[in-house]
Amino acid sequence: ARTLGCRVHLLDDDAATDDAGTHDGGAAVAADRVTRAPLHDAAAAADAMAGCDVVTAAVEQVPPATLRAVERLGVPMRPSAALLTIAQDRALERDWLARRGVP
């Protein structure tokens, strides 16, 4: 994103982040702003993503409540909160794929 000229805001739940907010590696080194909080902190996630043009998740394990909090901001989420929630439940995922003819 940075190489495309985009500003990056990151919700970082990595334990390797120190109290000063610095990080040894990963996406935080390329972020313009880093909010350090656990993924289940929906308020911190919404605060971190407020004002963004688009939000994406690097992992599918973001709790549904956090996804909904960010979605309520009206910021497009790619993939959507609904798809990320489906990806967290293998039975839902299989049903979703089957309804679309994917073996």
Side-chain angles (χ1 to χ4, degrees):
R2 292 289 304 264
T3 60
L4 296 173
C6 300
R7 295 188 65 222
V8 176
H9 295 191
L10 176 70
L11 177 65
D12 186 3
D13 74 332
D14 190 340
T17 306
D18 65 24
D19 291 331
T22 60
H23 193 284
D24 293 0
V29 298
D32 295 291
R33 185 177 80 183
V34 177
T35 299
R36 193 171 156 231
L39 292 177
H40 66 267
D41 188 337
D47 182 56
M49 301 301 114
C52 289
D53 293 321
V54 67
V55 171
T56 190
V59 297
E60 68 185 41
Q61 295 83 10
V62 178
T66 300
L67 296 170
R68 287 190 302 273
V70 173
E71 191 173 58
R72 282 192 295 273
L73 296 171
V75 176
M77 190 178 307
R78 303 292 185 259
S80 70
L83 285 177
L84 287 168
T85 300
I86 290 168
Q88 293 175 14
D89 183 315
R90 294 303 171 230
L92 285 176
E93 188 176 49
R94 280 190 299 273
D95 291 345
W96 186 90
L97 291 168
R99 287 192 311 271
R100 285 154 180 81
V102 178

